[in-house]
Amino acid sequence: MDLPFDLAGLYEENLAFFYRVENDSWHAVEQLTLEPVNNTLTATLNHLTIFAVLEKAPNPLYLPLITR
């Protein structure tokens, strides 16, 4: 997939293909090759559905629940 659109503010190394499932959640495609020099993402797909190029979220930080 050619990436001609503006990526201002996004980190290219965090881009990934995501596909939509029935409950409206998005799952990342695992087999992905990112080539920032050529501005391409390549993925191996085994089904047809709605796809999107999105930026992966950073690892969430979980804080302990403290009660009195």
Side-chain angles (χ1 to χ4, degrees), residues 3-41:
L3 300 175
F5 51 86
D6 187 12
L7 297 175
L10 299 178
Y11 294 104
E12 286 187 13
E13 61 271 5
N14 292 339
L15 293 179
F17 276 130
F18 286 82
Y19 63 93
R20 190 171 165 189
V21 293
E22 291 178 9
N23 64 358
D24 289 337
S25 64
W26 292 91
H27 294 274
V29 173
E30 298 299 323
Q31 298 84 13
L32 179 74
T33 304
L34 172 65
E35 295 180 31
V37 175
N38 297 324
N39 291 327
T40 59
L41 284 172

